[in-house]
Amino acid sequence: ELLSAQIAIVDLLVDYGFYSSNRDSVDIDFTKIRTLFARVFAVVDTAGTPEGAFSSTRREAVMLIQLRSAALVLLIRMLNLRANYRISVMLHTWEAIFARMTEKGATAFDPLYHTHVANMGSFAATRTDLMKKTDQSRRLDETFAPHAPLFKECVRKCLDENIISNDEIRSDTYSSGKFQGDKIVEAMISLTKFKNPQLSGQACALMIRHMAQRTRMADDLAQVQLLVFSAQVEVYHDTVAAVKKLTGLKKHLFNDRPEAYTEAGELLATLTRYITVSAENNSSLVKENQRIMLNRELDEPILNILRLNLERDRTRRLLATDPSDKDTDPAVNEPRRRLFQACYDFLLSLCAGGNKAAQQKLFSQIGVFQEHVGID
């Protein structure tokens, strides 16, 4: 019980950055984390455990399983630190390349430069394609060849050196297929011998993450959006401000303050223009703006507004003799109805152009939308 309590406390301390400084920097000091990782790993490493211990039902054995389960949670938290560090290193490398190319006259508006430098995820994903002797790959080789030392240094820091583990465990330098003799793999497989569903599930999840860490790094990079165009920077700042503003306006909308409806409506109109194809915004820029807004979770405060009560006036339906008048109800609060329509216009634009990420996220909120069906 004492060890379990210690692990719980350490988990919180890791979360608050107690064991590391400059958490989002490439200069982060992992010395304490490496020591902690080794000691927590010792809790889950059952090498040398007698076979009979795996099937024991004694209270002490059950508590040890719970302890190891908590230790696995803490190990995964430390793996998240490693993932953050790798992203920081990759972004630092990109910034260095960006600065050098800008100094030599390269521009972020060059299609080749924008496509293959701005999106680090795409660049990582197409690394194999760069080896093909096509015209495009030759252009890429010529563009990035002068920066080869930066790429090599980036790979060394991310994949060839231990980050959060010591030289004995070597959890950060795993190469695909080289699982023989790997301490993490062996320890996680050993944990499944306890035949505890929760512990086995956690062990398998950690082992898979360990073995697929290089693929996961590329997947993480694919989610990183870099703002190259000045217009995207403007949209980013407007989106951050809009999240804060709409969140603050909800209480005033609840109290039906006219100026709140006006301000929210104007703000939604501006945001909707950012994600609507027009002479100012081509389809490519609209997709980038959609991604910015979805990444900053702009949909959340808008959905919170839609959760306000919009009362129906059912009088017309009850008194109507014409069947067409029985299909819809007028809204009791007309300013709120107009604001809700502006919210739906924005969400429709956010999902436009086959934006599957937005569609999937909003589909889970269909219950909110159904409440407003039939309001005229």
Side-chain angles (χ1 to χ4, degrees):
E1 290 181 356
L2 177 60
L3 288 174
S4 295
Q6 288 177 337
I7 285 180
I9 293 174
V10 169
D11 197 334
L12 289 173
L13 292 175
V14 170
D15 196 33
Y16 282 99
F18 180 80
Y19 291 96
S20 57
S21 57
N22 298 324
R23 185 169 180 168
D24 296 321
S25 168
V26 294
D27 298 321
I28 184 172
D29 183 2
F30 283 115
T31 303
K32 293 180 180 178
I33 289 291
R34 291 192 191 101
T35 301
L36 178 63
F37 189 92
R39 291 177 180 175
V40 176
F41 179 74
V43 176
V44 300
D45 186 6
T46 57
T49 301
E51 287 296 324
F54 291 108
S55 57
S56 175
T57 57
R58 295 175 56 190
R59 183 171 181 273
E60 180 183 330
V62 173
M63 294 181 69
L64 280 173
I65 288 177
Q66 295 173 348
L67 175 64
R68 291 181 175 115
S69 177
L72 288 176
V73 172
L74 180 52
L75 286 176
I76 289 176
R77 187 177 295 281
M78 285 187 277
L79 294 185
N80 292 338
L81 287 178
R82 181 181 68 189
N84 289 340
Y85 171 76
R86 284 172 169 168
I87 290 175
S88 296
V89 171
M90 293 294 289
L91 292 179
H92 181 75
T93 302
W94 181 86
E95 289 170 353
I97 294 174
F98 183 90
R100 289 187 181 183
M101 296 183 76
T102 304
E103 289 174 359
K104 294 184 178 180
T107 171
F109 297 95
D110 180 343
L112 175 69
Y113 187 60
H114 172 65
T115 301
H116 295 283
V117 180
N119 191 324
M120 291 293 289
S122 296
F123 182 78
T126 58
R127 190 174 178 182
T128 303
D129 295 336
L130 299 183
M131 304 303 293
K132 297 179 181 179
K133 296 304 179 182
T134 61
D135 290 340
Q136 188 182 56
S137 67
R138 280 195 293 270
R139 289 181 63 196
L140 285 169
D141 288 339
E142 293 171 359
T143 301
F144 293 106
H147 311 290
L150 288 175
F151 282 106
K152 290 179 180 179
E153 178 67 9
C154 178
V155 170
R156 183 184 65 80
K157 287 183 175 181
C158 290
L159 302 174
D160 297 337
E161 289 184 350
N162 287 309
I163 301 171
I164 61 171
S165 70
N166 56 30
D167 293 336
E168 182 181 357
I169 301 173
R170 300 188 65 81
S171 70
D172 310 315
T173 57
Y174 178 84
S175 295
S176 180
K178 296 182 179 180
F179 51 83
Q180 294 290 345
D182 186 278
K183 284 188 171 293
I184 298 290
V185 173
E186 291 179 349
M188 296 305 105
I189 291 176
S190 180
L191 288 177
T192 62
K193 295 180 182 179
F194 288 100
K195 301 188 184 306
N196 179 277
Q198 180 178 343
L199 185 65
S200 296
Q202 290 175 308
C204 289
L206 193 148
M207 181 175 65
I208 291 172
R209 180 166 176 177
H210 169 69
M211 298 176 70
Q213 58 182 277
R214 296 192 177 212
T215 302
R216 185 184 178 92
M217 186 179 73
D219 292 340
D220 288 343
L221 287 171
Q223 303 302 317
V224 176
Q225 186 175 23
L226 302 178
L227 308 180
V228 175
F229 296 108
S230 57
Q232 291 176 319
V233 176
E234 180 183 353
V235 171
Y236 173 84
H237 288 301
D238 285 353
T239 299
V240 172
V243 170
K244 183 177 180 180
K245 191 63 179 179
L246 290 172
T247 301
L249 282 174
K250 184 181 177 181
K251 60 184 178 182
H252 301 302
L253 294 170
F254 178 81
N255 292 318
D256 288 323
R257 295 181 61 172
E259 62 272 19
Y261 284 108
T262 300
E263 188 172 0
E266 292 175 351
L267 182 56
L268 284 167
T270 299
L271 295 170
T272 303
R273 284 196 294 272
Y274 282 143
I275 52 177
T276 302
V277 176
S278 63
E280 294 78 19
N281 298 323
N282 58 35
S283 58
S284 177
L285 194 56
V286 164
K287 288 182 179 179
E288 290 296 322
N289 292 344
Q290 287 175 328
R291 189 177 174 191
I292 291 171
M293 293 179 178
L294 196 61
N295 286 345
R296 301 306 305 176
E297 297 184 329
L298 179 57
D299 54 295
E300 296 291 344
I302 292 175
L303 286 169
N304 285 335
I305 290 175
L306 289 173
R307 291 188 179 97
L308 292 170
N309 182 46
L310 183 60
E311 188 177 353
R312 301 166 180 260
D313 181 0
R314 291 183 168 82
T315 305
R316 185 176 69 181
R317 183 188 300 188
L318 295 174
L319 301 178
T321 56
D322 188 340
S324 62
D325 291 334
K326 297 183 178 182
D327 293 336
T328 59
D329 298 317
V332 174
N333 190 329
E334 180 58 21
R336 186 169 294 182
R337 186 203 67 79
R338 290 197 298 269
L339 178 62
F340 276 27
Q341 184 59 59
C343 290
Y344 281 116
D345 289 343
F346 171 83
L347 294 178
L348 181 63
S349 296
L350 186 65
C351 294
N355 189 346
K356 293 183 179 179
Q359 293 168 7
Q360 290 173 355
K361 184 175 183 182
L362 293 177
F363 181 78
S364 63
Q365 305 298 324
I366 195 165
V368 177
F369 308 147
Q370 287 176 334
E371 292 291 326
H372 307 137
V373 174
I375 298 181
D376 187 3

